[in-house]
Amino acid sequence: MAKNLLAKGFRLAVYNRSQGPVQELAQLKALPCKSPAEVASQSDIIITMLPDAPEVRQVLAGEEGVLEKIRHGQVIIDMSTVSPIFSKEMATLVKSKGGEMLDAPVSGSTMAAEQGTLTIMVGGSKEAFEKALPVLQAMGKHIYYMGESGAGSFTKLCNQVAVSLNLLGVCEMLLVASKAGLDVKKVIEVVSTGAGGSWQLSNLGPRMVVRDFRPGFKVKHLRKDLRIVREVAESLGLSLPGVSLVAELVKALDNMGHGEDGTQALVEVLEMLARHRLG
């Protein structure tokens, strides 16, 4: 995503806890910084992309954090997947310091990030969104303004509900096909052309068959996202039995040592329960 910003002509100041990515971007003419505060001092728009809320809070409000150097009118874009409740809290804090904050999580694979074709869902003020739009367009193909603070984060959770349940459906479908003695690859081809077709089936189904668990999106990250979905659902008084089931299966998969694998590794848990292996 940073490389795409550089390729579109944006000047970039960068910071990361591990220095490898910083040095890689420095070779492409990005300015390496020693702290989030230094990034803020060198930037008009600040972007964070972090694993979870505690890291976002530390980078923004911790020692040598962004808010130590924020200027009036600066826009912070948090592209992490976090609770919308947290997004609203941080937006209020940023506003009290004179800045504006957008929650702008993304959907898409690692390939989409590399190609600049991510889907980006944004919450925050319309004025801040319009100011940040050229930056967002350098990283994504489908950019949606969803409403006030928290709306982007809420939308991402909706996405994760659909993704996780679809993932489970693909795993179970492949097990049925395999157990019935069908050509599993041909079943994927057939179902993909009809009403059962989906991104998960077309992209992750073939990987499950050949046991290619290289990550496009990691198991440990889906586990975190589903935890947030369940917490938010509880706050809204919603019962989501499908999400609860997938969350427990993903938790088991993570505990089996697959946290760094792609989410398509979920098929291994279903294979254990079915006592049947694909292929």
Side-chain angles (χ1 to χ4, degrees):
M1 293 164 71
K3 287 178 180 178
N4 284 329
L5 286 166
L6 288 167
K8 292 294 176 68
F10 289 97
R11 292 191 304 113
L12 222 58
V14 294
Y15 170 78
N16 193 56
R17 289 172 293 185
S18 55
Q19 285 300 298
V22 172
Q23 296 307 315
E24 184 178 354
L25 291 168
Q27 292 177 4
L28 299 174
K29 307 304 182 184
L31 174 67
C33 294
K34 296 180 179 179
S35 70
E38 186 180 353
V39 171
S41 71
Q42 298 289 332
S43 307
D44 295 317
I45 293 176
I46 302 146
I47 301 171
T48 54
M49 173 67 97
L50 294 155
D52 205 349
E55 291 87 354
V56 176
R57 188 186 300 277
Q58 178 65 31
V59 165
L60 295 184
E63 184 177 354
E64 294 189 289
V66 167
L67 295 183
E68 288 188 5
K69 295 292 184 179
I70 194 168
R71 302 185 304 278
H72 182 79
Q74 275 184 301
V75 176
I76 298 173
I77 308 173
D78 181 31
M79 307 190 80
S80 316
T81 299
V82 294
S83 165
I85 299 169
F86 175 77
S87 293
K88 292 178 183 180
E89 175 192 342
M90 296 309 296
T92 299
L93 177 60
V94 170
K95 194 171 186 65
S96 73
K97 302 291 185 179
E100 291 280 353
M101 186 165 183
L102 299 172
D103 43 284
V106 306
S107 180
S109 63
T110 302
M111 184 179 296
E114 292 171 350
Q115 295 176 346
T117 58
L118 291 165
T119 294
I120 306 176
M121 48 216 86
V122 188
S125 77
K126 193 66 178 291
E127 182 181 1
F129 170 73
E130 290 174 352
K131 182 176 181 179
L133 186 57
V135 171
L136 297 172
Q137 289 172 330
M139 297 180 285
K141 182 178 181 180
H142 307 285
I143 319 295
Y144 297 96
Y145 177 70
M146 301 305 299
E148 294 302 316
S149 292
S153 293
F154 265 122
T155 306
K156 177 59 183 289
L157 296 186
C158 293
N159 181 83
Q160 298 308 78
V161 170
V163 163
S164 59
L165 291 174
N166 194 261
L167 181 67
L168 176 61
V170 171
C171 292
E172 293 191 346
M173 183 207 80
L174 293 179
L175 283 169
V176 171
S178 177
K179 190 73 173 180
L182 298 174
D183 180 333
V184 178
K185 292 182 179 179
K186 192 168 186 178
V187 170
I188 292 174
E189 179 183 352
V190 172
V191 176
S192 294
T193 65
S198 68
W199 189 97
Q200 300 284 316
L201 176 59
S202 298
N203 289 274
L204 298 187
R207 294 188 183 188
M208 293 178 190
V209 174
V210 299
R211 316 200 79 74
D212 176 3
F213 298 149
R214 289 174 295 174
F217 186 63
K218 292 181 180 180
V219 168
K220 67 178 184 180
H221 294 148
L222 182 59
R223 179 179 180 179
K224 180 265 295 184
D225 291 355
L226 293 178
R227 171 182 57 78
I228 296 172
V229 170
R230 296 175 81 179
E231 291 171 355
V232 171
E234 183 177 356
S235 74
L236 295 173
L238 289 174
S239 175
L240 301 178
V243 167
S244 296
L245 173 58
V246 182
E248 291 303 316
L249 293 172
V250 171
K251 178 181 176 181
L253 184 64
D254 192 8
N255 290 340
M256 288 165 57
H258 289 281
E260 296 292 329
D261 287 338
T263 54
Q264 65 270 26
L266 183 64
V267 72
E268 293 219 332
V269 177
L270 276 296
E271 287 175 330
M272 289 177 57
L273 293 172
R275 297 182 181 178
H276 177 77
R277 183 180 170 97
L278 292 182

